[in-house]
């Protein structure tokens, strides 16, 4: 059935009709081929013509996806059709082919483009809507819109890579369903500010909605151009400052009243330039510097008035004009480390008036002009107005709009040129460079130059130190320090691919980025888990540990590697006093070996900790070679942390064959009957037990052994990809959260690729002797899930600070940083016939692929030498000149006989450290918690039976930590033997757990610890 008019829309999901054309509804019951004619006869096809349409298939209750077996097909006057036609992503363009390819998202608008050049010269007789679902008996329905035939726009020639980037990629999203959840950001790479258009100038969550909240004519409306610092809509923006041109008689301050309609076709949204032609005749343009921007506003000659409105999202701000410059401050939005932002701006022409706006917020101000074109140079600062003026002088003064844009374009091209694919399709090029753009937006500089370009003096207003006094209209109350700090990274997300990508593509820059976060540790004692910009109690794991260790192990020359390690060591050995920093649940978790269910999301906290402990152990081992003055301590810590990273076995429940939480008494949280691996939340962060069944990326062989060996791991993975996500088992969530719907939309079983915990899972097949399964799944993700980039989509879920982008970049190269914290990469299969990598500061590398239309590796050569394992070290990769993939249509036996490296190398289940001392709830030394402490001068205890410990730990108390001690042992409790002695020891932090190697281990039952003076301890362990 076909009916015209309307189309899905509204304000509760990423649904909306497309402007200018009424939607056409299709519906019916599957069980035969449905064809319905549409308008479109008479055109003679020319070379370069394309068919383009939008389609919105409804998801049916039976999850048959019958509505996705749909296409608009062309019937020519001679009765033929375009046989073998492919869409822009290379999928069969007929209805059956679109459905079989799973290329169309249900309950989402999809953009379909078909090149008609092969039919040049033919006359179109009819356009036909076809539905061709294979299974009978399913009700289907959907919408077709914006059907058009015409010349495709010219593609960029590759000389300016910013032309491939549409910053609106990922903005066709919402809190209900994410296709990126990004902003259309124009900025300097890793810049101090973001610049973004906003369709809602009163929110710090989703200020630019590509597809929602349109006006009565179904057109978006601009409410301003905004200085933003948003790392994620879920974290929220902060210190937003909006500038809006108004072509009305009155300087309208109310965001809804001043809003001006526009079409996405009239936007230019690139990293170096945002420009829009508004329906009221105003043209607005901006191009960025690091700490500011230059704006150019062109008003119609007949405009009844010409005004610039200066505004923020609430009343927390002020603006004034002194006859030379506009100055002011804003302080709004997310509060985790936020401090006041100041501004300084200069007009090309003095305003004829500056004062209150008409309507809107009381603090909004309007500058009125009597000329048709106004240029505004504008800079911001977290230090004060004078520093903003200084930044304007450094970056904007005396430079034209074109000169500033050229500089921004040049710096972006430098970042984007690290990957140069050959033979890539236009969508692939847009995706590669769009993803490199997203990767290079984050993290953000938080420092300012108080000196000159030749003699810079960097300062920053610290977001991690307490403020002092009250901020004024001219100066911050933040503590201002010398140096560089970086902010805005959600390490739970970004450690998986973004930080490895920085280390690979931009090693010198990575050194500065890492040290910019270590500065948080120097200031506030910790590195933020989720820097936004300061300490936020958000997400699980202290994954800066693994991020920075991985960079160091891959040869990034860190300015202060010991401080970098110590920041991670504090996370790994100290129970924090505040929930915003460090690891949760470790007051007992350090001693039990896992975080108990007393802590929410306990399995996630535990498994993430093991990954971080592994990386810190590897870093400590390497540091020991470079720092002999601390060698012994580093090696002790490395052994302790490495063994602790094997504690994942403690959470594996053999009865259910899954990881699950354990209660404080040690019992598993749920019985076999009650545990449901498809149930979301609880002990798992933003997913279910299935997606955490493989969360041991540092030791895949050890994980395989839990499942009975490589064949058992393969069977578990097969079941994972075969078990559908139905998005109905909310678990501990009160609603079906957006991650559940996105995981369902992936349509690859339980593989919730739309969220980060699943991103490594497909690569685990490399440890089962079946790397072809990794190759097939990775290729399917590359082909299917990064689509829709030309209608504001482009991602299958949240694009968090470059992580989702970096996954694509690595996978397209045939690589993946599976074991982050180990300097190596898992091997997949290359996507492009040829790609040249030119890491900044590194040597070029060429990756070629014969038969790249197929995913399966037949052979892999590195500089002409056969590689027989599905893994390559970072050293070998960066030393190579050429990697050659030979691909084929069928799986081969390549890399099936040799497993990649892991912590475990044999068939045995890993054996973590065990405390030989029984738990004694009445003794603060042995009660397995650091929340109690006692004064010790000599402590004596006995084991149930003689044993041979190899390590022991001491946990300091709140003060008076030990510096010197002796550890003795006895077989009879009378005659004592010295087994370890320490002097001149330090515990840098209260409640720190430090490991020590027993120099002469032997079999004893009785032990005592003696200190020369009374000392305070919270815990003591004997480990084996």
């Amino acid at each position: 059935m076909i009916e015209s008019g309307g189309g899905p829309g509204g304000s509760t999901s990423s649904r909306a009709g497309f402007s200018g054309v009424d939607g056409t509804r299709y519906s019916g019951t599957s069980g035969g081929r449905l064809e319905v004619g549409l308008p479109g006869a008479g055109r003679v096809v020319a070379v370069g013509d394309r068919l383009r349409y939008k389609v919105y298939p409804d998801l049916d209750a039976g999850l048959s996806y019958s509505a996705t077996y749909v296409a608009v097909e062309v019937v020519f006057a001679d009765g033929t059709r375009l046989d073998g036609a492919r869409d822009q992503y290379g999928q069969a363009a007929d209805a059956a082919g679109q459905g079989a390819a799973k290329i169309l998202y249900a309950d989402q608008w999809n953009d379909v483009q078909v090149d008609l050049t092969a039919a040049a010269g033919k006359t179109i007789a009819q356009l036909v809507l076809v539905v061709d679902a294979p299974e009978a008996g399913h009700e289907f329905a959907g919408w077709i819109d914006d059907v058009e035939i015409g010349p495709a726009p010219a593609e960029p020639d590759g000389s300016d890579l910013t032309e491939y980037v549409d910053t609106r990629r990922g903005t066709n999203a919402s809190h209900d369903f994410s296709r990126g959840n990004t902003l259309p950001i124009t900025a300097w790479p890793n810049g101090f500010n973001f610049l973004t258009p906003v369709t809602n100038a009163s929110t710090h969550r989703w200020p630019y909605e590509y597809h929602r909240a349109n006006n009565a004519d179904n057109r978006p409306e601009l409410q301003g151009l905004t200085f933003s610092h948003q790392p994620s809509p879920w974290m929220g923006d902060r210190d937003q400052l909006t500038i809006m041109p108004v072509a009305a008689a009155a300087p309208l301050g109310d965001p809804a009243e001043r809003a001006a309609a526009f079409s996405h076709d009239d936007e230019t949204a690139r990293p170096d330039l945002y420009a829009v032609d508004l329906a009221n005749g105003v043209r607005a343009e901006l191009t960025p510097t690091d700490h500011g921007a230059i704006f150019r506003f062109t008003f119609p000659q007949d405009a009844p008035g010409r005004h610039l409105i200066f505004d923020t999202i609430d009343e927390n701000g002020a603006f004034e004009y002194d006859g030379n410059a506009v100055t002011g401050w804003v302080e709004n939005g997310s509060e985790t480390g936020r401090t006041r932002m100041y501004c300084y701006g200069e007009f090309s022409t003095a305003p004829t008036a500056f004062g209150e706006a008409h309507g809107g917020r009381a603090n909004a101000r309007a500058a009125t002009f009597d000329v048709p074109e106004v240029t505004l140079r504008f800079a911001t600062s977290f230090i004060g107005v004078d520093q903003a003026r200084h930044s304007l002088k450094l970056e904007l003064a005396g430079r034209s709009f074109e000169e500033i844009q050229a500089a921004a374009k040049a710096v972006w091209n430098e970042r984007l040129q690290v990957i140069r694919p050959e033979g890539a399709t236009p969508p692939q090029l847009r995706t590669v460079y769009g993803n490199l753009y997203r990767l290079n937006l984050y993290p953000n500089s938080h420092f300012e130059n108080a000196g000159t370009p030749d003699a810079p003096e960097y300062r920053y207003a610290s977001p991690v130190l307490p403020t002092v006094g009250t901020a004024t209209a001219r100066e911050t109350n933040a503590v201002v320090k010398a140096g560089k700090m970086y902010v805005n990274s959600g390490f739970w997300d970004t450690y998986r691919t973004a930080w490895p990508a920085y280390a690979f593509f931009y090693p010198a820059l990575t050194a500065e980025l890492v040290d910019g976060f270590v500065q948080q540790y120097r200031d506030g004692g910790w590195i933020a888990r989720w820097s936004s910009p300061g300490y936020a109690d958000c997400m699980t794991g202290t994954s800066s540990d693994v991020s920075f260790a991985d960079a160091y192990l891959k040869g990034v020359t860190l300015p202060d590697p010991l401080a970098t390690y110590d920041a991670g060591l504090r996370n790994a050995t100290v129970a924090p006093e505040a929930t915003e920093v460090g690891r949760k649940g470790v007051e007992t978790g350090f001693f039990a070996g896992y975080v108990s269910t007393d802590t929410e999301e306990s399995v996630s906290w535990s498994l993430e900790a093991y990954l971080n402990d592994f990386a810190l152990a590897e870093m400590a081992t390497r540091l020991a070679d470079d720092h002999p003055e601390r060698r012994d301590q580093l090696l002790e810590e490395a052994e302790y942390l490495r063994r602790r990273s094997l504690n994942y076995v403690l959470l594996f429940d053999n009865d259910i064959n899954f990881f699950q939480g354990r209660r404080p008494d040690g019992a598993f949280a749920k019985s076999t009957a009650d545990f449901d691996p498809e149930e979301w939340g609880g002990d798992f962060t933003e997913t279910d037990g299935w997606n955490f069944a493989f969360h041991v990326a540092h030791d895949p062989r050890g994980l395989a052994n839990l499942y009975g060996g490589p064949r058992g791991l393969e069977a578990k993975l097969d079941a994972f990809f075969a078990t559908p996500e139905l998005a109905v088992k909310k678990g501990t969530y009160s609603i079906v959260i957006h991650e559940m719907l996105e995981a369902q939309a992936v349509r690859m079983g339980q593989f919730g690729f739309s969220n980060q915990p699943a991103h490594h899972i497909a690569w685990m097949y490399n440890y089962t002797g079946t790397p072809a399964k990794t190759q097939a799944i990775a290729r399917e993700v590359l082909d299917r899930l990064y689509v829709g980039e030309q209608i504001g989509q482009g991602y299958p879920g949240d694009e968090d600070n470059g992580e989702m982008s970096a996954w694509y970049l690595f996978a397209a190269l045939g690589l993946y940083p599976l074991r982050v914290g180990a300097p190596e990469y898992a091997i997949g299969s290359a996507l492009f016939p040829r790609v040249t990598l030119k890491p900044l500061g590194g040597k070029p590398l060429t990756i070629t692929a014969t038969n790249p239309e197929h995913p399966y590796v037949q052979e892999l050569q590195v500089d002409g030498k056969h590689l027989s394992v599905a893994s390559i070290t970072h050293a070998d990769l960066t030393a190579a000149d050429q990697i050659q993939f030979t691909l084929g249509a069928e799986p081969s036996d390549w890399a099936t006989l040799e497993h990649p490296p892991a912590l475990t190398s044999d068939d045995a289940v890993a054996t973590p450290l065990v405390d030989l001392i029984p738990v004694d709830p009445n003794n603060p030394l042995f009660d397995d918690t650091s929340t109690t402490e006692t004064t010790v001068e000599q402590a004596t205890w006995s084991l149930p039976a003689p044993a041979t410990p190899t390590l022991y730990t001491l946990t300091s108390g709140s003060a008076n930590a030990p510096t010197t001690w002796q550890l003795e042992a006895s077989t009879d409790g009378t005659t004592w033997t010295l087994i370890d002695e320490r002097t001149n020891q330090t515990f840098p932090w209260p409640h720190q757990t430090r490991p020590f190697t027993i120099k002469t281990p032997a079999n004893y039952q009785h032990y005592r610890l003696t200190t020369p003076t009374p000392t305070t301890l919270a815990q003591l362990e004997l480990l084996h």
Side-chain angles (χ1 to χ4, degrees):
M1 181 180 73
I2 292 291
E3 57 183 288
S4 296
S11 59
T12 59
S13 71
S14 49
R15 307 178 176 192
F18 285 80
S19 60
V21 177
D22 287 337
T24 297
R25 181 76 166 167
Y26 66 93
S27 61
T29 303
S30 61
R33 182 180 172 93
L34 168 70
E35 291 197 8
V36 179
L38 299 171
R43 181 182 178 90
V44 178
V45 177
V47 173
D49 274 357
R50 69 174 177 184
L51 164 67
R52 187 180 189 184
Y53 59 92
K54 313 300 190 300
V55 59
Y56 185 106
D58 289 341
L59 179 60
D60 60 291
L63 302 183
S64 73
Y65 293 90
S66 293
T68 67
Y69 289 81
V70 63
V72 174
E73 298 183 12
V74 181
V75 179
F76 299 107
D78 61 5
T80 63
R81 300 195 183 191
L82 197 62
D83 294 335
R86 298 273 166 177
D87 67 13
Q88 72 268 40
Y89 301 113
Q91 306 296 338
D94 63 297
Q98 290 282 284
K102 298 193 291 186
I103 196 72
L104 301 180
Y105 270 76
D107 288 347
Q108 296 276 299
W109 281 109
N110 298 266
D111 179 33
V112 182
Q113 301 175 36
V114 182
D115 184 9
L116 299 179
T117 296
K122 290 189 174 185
T123 299
I124 296 174
Q126 189 180 30
L127 299 180
V128 180
L129 172 66
V130 180
V131 181
D132 192 7
E135 294 183 13
H138 297 287
E139 299 292 328
F140 65 81
W143 297 84
I144 296 288
D145 206 348
D146 277 5
V147 181
E148 60 182 63
I149 292 177
E155 296 291 341
D157 62 8
S159 60
D160 176 9
L161 300 179
T162 64
E163 293 182 348
Y164 289 111
V165 180
D166 188 330
T167 63
R168 297 168 298 181
R169 182 190 194 100
T171 63
N172 189 342
S174 72
H175 50 77
D176 297 312
F177 198 99
S178 177
R179 297 299 297 273
N181 267 334
T182 64
L183 287 176
I185 293 166
T186 294
W188 206 254
N190 303 112
F192 186 81
N193 288 313
F194 293 151
L195 282 303
T196 179
V198 296
T199 58
N200 183 346
S202 301
T203 179
H204 71 296
R205 296 293 184 185
W206 281 265
Y208 180 92
E209 296 185 296
Y210 186 96
H211 56 293
R212 304 205 313 172
N214 290 354
N215 65 15
D217 296 324
N218 201 20
R219 301 184 73 182
E221 292 186 321
L222 186 75
Q223 293 189 359
L225 303 173
T226 294
F227 282 87
S228 162
H229 309 88
Q230 187 191 93
S232 156
W234 305 107
M235 300 304 290
D237 210 337
R238 61 186 182 275
D239 291 328
Q240 293 159 274
L241 187 158
T242 297
I243 302 168
M244 178 65 187
V246 172
L252 303 175
D254 183 87
E257 290 186 16
R258 75 191 186 213
F262 68 96
S263 166
H264 291 304
D265 292 338
D266 293 326
E267 287 181 293
T268 300
R270 298 191 337 201
D272 61 314
L273 175 68
Y274 179 81
V276 61
D277 291 311
L278 301 174
N280 62 7
V282 173
R283 179 170 175 79
E285 304 166 274
L286 68 85
T287 191
T289 66
D290 194 351
H291 296 83
I294 184 170
F295 299 82
R296 185 164 59 197
F297 302 101
T298 306
F299 294 88
Q301 290 290 340
D302 59 352
R306 305 178 182 94
H307 316 280
L308 294 181
I309 307 300
F310 294 84
D311 198 5
T312 182
I313 64 170
D314 55 25
E315 298 290 353
N316 294 307
F319 307 96
E320 61 183 34
Y321 180 68
D322 63 4
N324 295 301
V326 57
T327 60
W329 61 271
V330 297
E331 190 171 356
N332 56 58
S334 179
E335 297 180 356
T336 56
R338 181 198 77 205
T339 57
R340 185 165 291 188
M341 186 181 78
Y342 299 86
C343 63
Y344 183 93
E346 295 178 350
F347 302 109
S348 56
T349 300
T352 59
F354 187 94
E356 293 184 4
H358 286 215
R361 287 174 276 269
N363 59 347
R365 291 294 180 269
T368 300
F369 299 90
D370 59 2
V371 294
E373 182 176 297
V374 178
T375 298
L376 171 63
R377 291 171 174 82
F378 203 85
T380 71
S381 170
F382 290 120
I383 296 174
V385 170
D386 289 343
Q387 177 59 45
R389 178 175 59 188
H390 185 66
S391 293
L392 186 146
K393 179 180 177 181
L394 291 177
E395 299 178 4
L396 291 151
R399 303 172 69 198
S400 69
F401 189 99
E402 289 74 20
E403 289 171 330
I404 293 170
Q405 184 192 350
K409 182 182 296 186
V411 72
W412 273 110
N413 272 289
E414 181 184 44
R415 294 290 186 93
L416 299 177
Q417 61 81 37
V418 296
I419 301 179
R420 297 303 299 257
E422 298 176 25
T425 65
Q428 288 171 339
L429 290 170
R430 289 192 292 269
T431 301
V432 166
Y433 293 116
N435 287 342
L436 278 170
Y437 150 79
R438 282 291 304 176
L439 178 67
N440 279 282
L441 280 178
Y442 301 95
N444 298 111
S445 65
H446 197 73
F447 54 89
E448 307 168 52
N449 184 4
T452 67
D454 296 330
E457 298 176 15
Y458 295 114
R459 302 281 188 272
Y460 64 90
S462 179
V464 299
L465 286 173
T467 55
V468 179
T470 303
T472 71
R474 302 286 300 186
E475 291 185 347
T476 184
N477 61 339
V479 176
V480 178
K481 302 194 70 176
K484 294 183 176 183
M485 181 175 282
Y486 281 88
V487 298
N488 284 3
S489 184
F491 289 103
W492 180 85
D493 302 290
T494 55
Y495 86 82
R496 306 164 199 271
T497 60
W499 282 98
Y502 300 142
F504 184 36
F505 296 122
Y506 311 101
L509 170 66
T510 301
E512 179 174 307
L513 298 180
V514 169
D515 203 61
F517 280 100
V518 176
Q519 195 66 31
Q520 294 185 358
Y521 161 72
R522 298 186 187 104
D523 278 9
W526 306 85
I527 293 173
R529 291 201 305 270
W530 218 123
S531 172
S532 177
Y535 299 137
D537 184 7
C538 184
M539 305 312 293
T540 52
T542 54
S543 299
S544 58
D545 306 346
V546 63
S547 301
F548 300 165
D550 184 72
Y552 175 74
L553 293 163
K554 287 173 178 171
V556 172
T557 306
L558 301 181
D560 194 349
L562 274 177
T564 305
Y565 169 75
D566 284 341
L569 183 67
R570 186 174 194 184
N571 288 328
T573 61
V574 178
E577 294 182 357
T579 60
E580 294 83 3
V581 295
R583 303 181 186 178
K584 291 187 179 181
V586 294
E587 295 84 355
T588 59
F590 285 153
F591 313 111
Y594 54 85
V595 175
S596 78
T597 54
D598 276 357
T599 298
E600 189 178 359
E601 302 174 320
S602 64
V603 173
S604 296
W605 274 108
S606 297
L607 293 181
E608 297 290 359
Y610 307 145
L611 292 168
N612 285 292
D613 287 349
F614 161 73
L616 288 170
E618 297 299 299
M619 186 177 187
T621 302
R622 181 77 61 83
L623 282 168
D625 294 334
D626 299 332
H627 295 275
E629 77 283 1
R630 197 169 152 181
R631 174 180 173 83
D632 291 344
Q633 179 180 335
L634 286 164
L635 290 178
E636 286 179 325
E637 291 163 350
E639 173 62 16
Y640 170 68
L641 292 168
R642 188 175 293 111
R643 291 290 301 278
R644 212 171 72 173
S645 77
L646 301 175
N647 282 345
Y648 63 86
V649 302
L650 301 177
L651 292 181
F652 189 77
D653 186 345
N654 286 294
D655 291 340
I656 61 173
N657 216 29
F658 283 95
F659 293 100
Q660 72 153 318
R662 295 179 73 165
R663 296 194 295 263
D665 63 5
F668 283 112
K670 293 185 177 181
S671 67
T672 303
D674 290 338
F675 182 82
D676 184 348
E678 298 175 35
E679 192 172 84
W680 280 59
D683 291 323
F684 308 104
T685 301
E686 293 184 358
T687 190
D688 60 10
W690 264 117
N691 279 275
F692 265 88
F694 311 98
H695 213 79
V696 189
H698 61 297
D699 192 19
R701 179 58 190 269
L703 175 69
N705 293 342
L706 292 178
Y707 292 119
R711 295 282 77 79
L713 176 58
E714 180 189 7
K716 192 72 173 182
L717 287 163
D718 288 348
F720 171 77
F721 285 101
T723 302
E725 171 56 64
L726 303 177
V728 294
K729 297 183 179 181
K730 296 179 292 186
T732 57
Y733 294 108
S734 60
I735 60 172
V736 174
I737 62 174
H738 73 101
E739 289 90 350
M740 297 177 69
L741 296 173
E742 293 150 16
Q744 179 191 54
V746 168
R747 288 200 275 168
M748 297 177 72
Q750 285 290 303
F751 186 40
F753 183 82
S754 53
N755 204 13
Q756 281 73 19
H759 279 191
H760 71 288
I761 295 176
W763 305 88
M764 301 292 272
Y765 273 118
N766 283 356
Y767 284 83
T768 70
T770 57
K773 293 183 178 181
T774 287
Q775 296 151 23
I777 294 166
R779 179 62 64 88
E780 183 176 350
V781 171
L782 292 171
D783 286 346
R784 286 185 48 229
L785 299 184
Y786 287 80
V787 298
E789 78 288 347
Q790 289 186 293
I791 57 169
Q793 298 166 349
Y795 298 102
D798 284 349
E799 204 299 292
D800 290 303
N801 306 140
E803 192 282 338
M804 191 80 72
S805 293
W807 193 99
Y808 181 98
L809 296 172
F810 274 124
L813 298 175
L815 306 168
Y816 188 76
L818 172 61
R819 297 180 69 222
V820 184
E824 65 192 46
Y825 303 89
I827 300 293
S829 63
L831 182 63
F832 307 117
R834 180 184 179 91
V835 59
T836 301
L837 305 181
K838 296 180 180 178
L840 291 187
K843 65 186 295 291
L845 168 66
T846 301
I847 298 177
T848 62
T850 58
N851 308 314
E853 67 275 15
H854 301 306
Y856 297 113
V857 179
Q858 312 295 303
E859 184 182 16
L860 183 62
Q861 292 189 347
V862 179
D863 287 341
K865 296 181 180 179
H866 179 66
L867 184 68
S868 59
V869 64
S871 179
I872 187 170
T873 67
H874 179 80
D876 287 346
L877 180 66
T878 55
D881 294 315
Q882 187 174 52
I883 296 178
Q884 297 169 289
F885 285 85
T886 301
L887 304 178
E890 299 294 334
S892 74
D893 62 358
W894 176 79
T896 58
L897 301 178
E898 187 176 350
H899 290 162
L903 268 179
T904 301
S905 58
D906 54 25
D907 296 333
V909 172
T911 55
L913 291 166
V914 175
D915 185 6
L916 300 171
I917 306 173
V919 177
D920 182 355
N922 298 313
N923 189 331
L925 282 182
F926 308 129
D927 58 359
D928 276 6
T929 176
S930 61
T931 59
T932 60
E933 59 186 49
T934 187
T935 300
V936 174
E937 194 165 1
Q938 185 176 82
T940 303
W941 68 95
S942 299
L943 305 180
T948 307
T950 56
L951 285 168
Y952 65 100
T953 72
L954 300 180
T955 301
S956 59
S958 54
N960 196 27
T963 60
T964 300
W965 63 84
Q966 291 180 332
L967 181 65
E968 299 171 286
S970 172
T971 57
D972 56 10
T974 301
T975 303
W976 294 92
T977 301
L978 182 68
I979 59 174
D980 193 57
E981 183 175 22
R982 301 290 168 132
T983 60
N984 300 318
Q985 296 298 306
T986 60
F987 287 73
W989 311 286
H991 301 291
Q992 183 191 11
T993 300
R994 282 195 57 195
F996 304 94
T997 302
I998 296 176
K999 302 295 193 297
T1000 55
N1003 207 40
Y1004 298 101
Q1005 188 170 8
H1006 310 285
Y1007 295 85
R1008 70 183 182 190
L1009 180 79
T1010 305
T1011 61
T1013 58
T1015 189
T1016 303
L1017 287 175
Q1019 195 65 24
L1020 190 156
E1021 296 176 291
L1022 283 180
L1023 301 172
H1024 177 72

